Amino acid sequence: MEIKQFEDKNLSQYSYAILSKCEKKIILIDPARNTQPYLDYAKENNAQITGVIETHPHADFISSHLEFHDTTGAIIYTSKLVNALYPHHSFDEGETIQLGKIRLSAINTPGHSPDGISILLEHAGKQKAVFTGDTLFIGDCGRPDLREAAGNIKAFRKDLAKQMYHSLRNKLMSLDDDVLVYPAHGAGTLCEKNLSKENSSTIEEEEKTNWSLQNATEEEFVKNLLAGQPFVPQYFSFDVELNRKGVSAMNESLSKIKNGEVIHKSTNYSLDKTIWIVDTRKENMFKYGHLPQSINLMEEGKFETWLGSIIKPGEPFYLAGESSEQIQRMLIRAAAIGYESQIRETFVINDAGIKDDKIDVAEFKNHQKNFTIVDVRNISVVKEGKIFASAISIPLAEVRNRINDIPANKPIVVHCAGGYRSAAASSLIHSMLYEKVHVLDLGEAVKNFI
């Protein structure tokens, strides 16, 4: 037997392959959209993928469960509570899957979602590992506030938080101490508040160190769990429903996207000016020359999170990059959250007509009152302390809808904590207030003020 953990670092997402070496069969748990890593693993082990288990309809990424069913004949297992719209076998408490000497048992663990399950792996009759989905993480537990407007079952966050309290204590903590814990996410995901950087643990270790497993009344637990949860990107409820339906093969979907011409400053191009351009080039390239109606969401960062936070589900957009190779990488990342079908066209930009002004840091430092300062960090971070006392706090995810909250009577300086979000926000504000006011990105220079 072998357990293989796969990691999508961009989404801080873990998925798993359980290999029966004696039967040369594999069952996947929560596979990401791109099927190639799993197919490569199966080929390396001369094994067949025979099943896919979905712990719940995911909010932050698209699973490839239906593609595996369509291309390999793999059986999809999920809770009957999901009311899945794809071919599947129900997998709820009391139901098992046998794979050689491996037995996989479903454990209904509502809390993150009302239809969530965990999977206990036993080998030769001994408890070995539990795959906890978004219920138990390393150092934390799943957030309960994502299913109030998503999925076939709607559930209030307080009710789910109560269910989480009991799922953790009555179901998962009852497992053997040395059982390995394999979660669906690691540090950096928006599915929790303060997750460990470790990618696995044990029940015993979590009972010692995980705040959510410590002695507390239900009321105390619910209060702590609901406090300070991260923002919810627009695409989360969209992905829940896509995963409940199942999506088509990624490469088939990507092949339908039109590839446009290479754009230079002198190129006569015809684009719909009402559609956003998501420009994935590096900040310095973007600021040197970009097109109108552009948002700078760079490759080196949480591209998927911000794409799904700024561009609405179903809203068309153009995808631009510095090379065809970069565009191919970004297409796969857009597909990871199910946004590839919204891409109107892709194209390479070598140079374009609009150049951004560069901030004079010394001038800004000495005359801050002459600027409108916009802080695009998350609210929870701002509460810990402002960098500039006069700054208007508008998190990046809210900038597009709150553009009228930004005065345009003097130059605007945008900052975050490091530069990625300020580059995105300043490009967005510049596009929406084009020629009305100067918009300046403080970028990494913000570190001189911290």
Side-chain angles (χ1 to χ4, degrees), residues 111-113 133-137 140-145 160-161 164 168 191-193 195 211-212 221 225 229:
H112 169 70
S113 64
D134 285 13
T135 302
L136 178 64
F137 296 125
D140 207 341
C141 66
R143 62 190 297 180
D145 59 334
L160 281 177
M164 178 69 81
L168 295 174
C191 291
E192 50 69 52
K193 292 184 289 187
L195 203 147
W211 77 267
S212 67
F221 174 87
L225 181 56
Q229 287 291 350

Side-chain angles (χ1 to χ4, degrees), residues 6 21 34 52 77 114 119 148 153 173 179 200 244-245 253 270 326 332 384 418 420 432:
F6 298 83
K21 292 184 177 181
N34 187 359
V52 179
Y77 301 89
I119 301 106
E148 293 185 325
I153 304 175
M173 289 178 71
V179 166
S200 66
R244 196 170 73 87
K245 294 176 180 177
S253 185
S270 57
Q326 183 184 47
I332 292 173
E384 295 175 3
Y420 187 96
M432 298 184 79

Side-chain angles (χ1 to χ4, degrees), residues 114-126:
D115 42 28
I117 59 172
S118 298
I119 301 106
L120 174 64
L121 183 154
E122 296 171 280
H123 186 258
K126 177 174 173 52

Side-chain angles (χ1 to χ4, degrees), residues 13-14 29-31 53-63 65 76-79 81-82 84 86 91 109-119 131-137 142-143 146-147 183-185 191 239-244:
Q13 182 245 337
Y14 295 128
I29 297 178
D30 295 334
I53 303 175
E54 290 290 287
T55 58
H56 64 291
H58 309 284
D60 58 321
F61 74 97
I62 295 300
S63 172
H65 53 280
I76 307 173
Y77 301 89
T78 194
S79 171
L81 297 175
V82 171
Y86 48 80
F91 196 48
T109 49
H112 169 70
S113 64
D115 42 28
I117 59 172
S118 298
I119 301 106
F131 303 88
T132 54
D134 285 13
T135 302
L136 178 64
F137 296 125
R143 62 190 297 180
L146 300 182
R147 290 294 292 273
H185 289 287
C191 291
D239 274 17
V240 167
E241 193 58 26
L242 279 184
N243 280 313
R244 196 170 73 87

Side-chain angles (χ1 to χ4, degrees), residues 319-431:
L319 182 67
E322 64 181 56
S323 66
S324 57
E325 291 79 13
Q326 183 184 47
I327 287 175
Q328 288 304 310
R329 294 193 299 271
M330 303 316 290
L331 280 170
I332 292 173
R333 291 181 66 176
I337 63 168
Y339 265 43
E340 81 284 358
S341 62
Q342 298 173 208
I343 300 173
R344 177 69 61 86
E345 185 178 332
T346 68
F347 48 84
V348 171
I349 298 181
N350 283 343
D351 191 8
I354 299 177
K355 298 185 185 300
D356 289 351
D357 294 331
K358 187 175 181 179
I359 188 170
D360 183 330
V361 177
E363 171 69 14
F364 170 68
K365 184 175 183 179
N366 294 326
H367 303 284
Q368 290 182 26
K369 66 180 185 300
N370 294 335
F371 300 87
T372 295
I373 305 173
V374 180
D375 183 345
V376 297
R377 296 175 301 160
N378 292 337
I379 291 295
S380 59
V381 179
V382 175
K383 284 181 178 179
E384 295 175 3
K386 281 189 169 185
I387 298 173
F388 304 101
S390 63
I392 301 169
S393 177
I394 305 179
L396 172 56
E398 300 176 18
V399 168
R400 186 176 171 188
N401 293 329
R402 293 181 57 189
I403 193 67
N404 292 330
D405 292 348
I406 302 174
N409 60 335
K410 52 186 176 181
I412 297 168
V413 172
V414 182
H415 84 86
C416 60
Y420 187 96
R421 281 173 289 177
S422 66
S426 61
S427 65
L428 180 57
I429 295 168
H430 183 264
S431 292

Side-chain angles (χ1 to χ4, degrees), residues 160-285:
L160 281 177
K162 291 179 180 179
Q163 291 181 5
M164 178 69 81
Y165 178 82
H166 295 285
S167 289
L168 295 174
R169 285 155 178 77
N170 300 336
K171 301 291 183 71
L172 298 180
M173 289 178 71
S174 67
L175 300 177
D176 293 347
D177 284 348
D178 60 351
V179 166
L180 292 168
V181 176
Y182 288 116
H185 289 287
T189 178
L190 286 174
C191 291
E192 50 69 52
K193 292 184 289 187
N194 189 28
L195 203 147
S196 167
K197 293 181 180 179
E198 299 299 320
N199 61 0
S200 66
S201 183
T202 64
I203 291 294
E204 182 178 32
E205 183 64 21
E206 290 309 294
E207 287 179 344
K208 290 178 180 176
T209 61
N210 190 319
W211 77 267
S212 67
L213 301 185
Q214 304 311 303
N215 288 332
T217 65
E218 180 185 276
E219 183 179 2
E220 291 169 338
F221 174 87
V222 169
K223 182 179 179 181
N224 287 334
L225 181 56
L226 294 180
Q229 287 291 350
F231 76 98
V232 180
Q234 295 188 81
Y235 81 94
F236 270 22
S237 58
F238 173 72
D239 274 17
V240 167
E241 193 58 26
L242 279 184
N243 280 313
R244 196 170 73 87
K245 294 176 180 177
V247 299
S248 61
M250 183 185 75
N251 288 333
E252 176 187 340
S253 185
L254 293 179
S255 69
K256 298 175 182 178
I257 300 171
K258 179 182 177 182
N259 294 318
E261 59 186 319
V262 177
I263 292 181
H264 303 272
K265 185 163 53 178
S266 58
T267 304
N268 290 320
Y269 56 87
S270 57
L271 299 174
D272 187 334
K273 295 182 180 178
T274 66
I275 294 179
W276 285 102
I277 299 168
V278 176
D279 191 327
T280 62
R281 295 176 299 157
K282 294 179 180 178
E283 175 189 359
N284 61 330
M285 297 177 70

